[in-house]
Amino acid sequence: QVQLQESGPGLVKPSQTLSLTCTVSGGSVTAAPYYWSWIRQSPGKGLECLGAISWRGSIFYSPSLKSRTSISRDTSKNQVTLQLSSVTPEDTAVYYCAPSTRLMTGATTRNLYDYWGQGTQVTVSS
């Protein structure tokens, strides 16, 4: 059973960079054919996939957030990381990492991902 644990600061100030880590257990970030995705849900909105990193290490970003998003991985720690720069209060959301056999960015649905973590709340506020 794959387990995912998202971690990072719960509060970030506007214009700063948000950094989150997803630690994977019971599976590997190099296991085919998974795309390890970062997804968020803002209050009153649907799920949005910011981007993903494939089992081969290829990285894909949502076009609307590409200029501010960086996704990477540490295979020795079995972790995937997200950095989102120049945050604003609109980036306040619960952030999740989740694996899918399908590559997608932008609006998405929960059922397209095989496993979910608890998510981590991030609030952007001064």
Side-chain angles (χ1 to χ4, degrees):
Q1 179 74 11
V2 175
Q3 294 185 321
L4 306 150
Q5 180 64 56
E6 302 91 348
S7 60
L11 180 65
V12 183
K13 294 182 178 180
S15 80
Q16 290 187 340
T17 296
L18 164 67
S19 297
L20 299 176
T21 299
C22 174
T23 301
V24 180
S25 58
S28 172
V29 298
T30 61
Y34 284 105
Y35 298 90
W36 297 85
S37 305
W38 280 101
I39 302 148
R40 69 181 182 182
Q41 186 163 29
S42 302
K45 296 184 179 180
L47 294 171
E48 177 185 26
C49 179
L50 288 73
I53 184 167
S54 76
W55 71 99
R56 293 172 175 162
S58 298
I59 303 170
F60 307 88
Y61 297 114
S62 171
S64 64
L65 293 166
K66 183 176 182 179
S67 64
R68 298 198 292 128
T69 308
S70 178
I71 294 173
S72 60
R73 68 179 183 179
D74 186 331
T75 56
S76 67
K77 296 180 179 179
N78 216 27
Q79 293 177 333
V80 180
T81 61
L82 169 72
Q83 289 191 320
L84 185 65
S85 64
S86 304
V87 297
T88 73
E90 292 191 349
D91 294 311
T92 294
V94 179
Y95 285 76
Y96 303 89
C97 68
S100 174
T101 57
R102 296 177 58 180
L103 172 63
M104 69 208 83
T105 60
T108 189
T109 58
R110 192 174 184 90
N111 65 312
L112 295 175
Y113 300 86
D114 289 4
Y115 303 96
W116 288 83
Q118 294 292 322
T120 186
Q121 173 70 49
V122 175
T123 301
V124 180
S125 174
S126 56

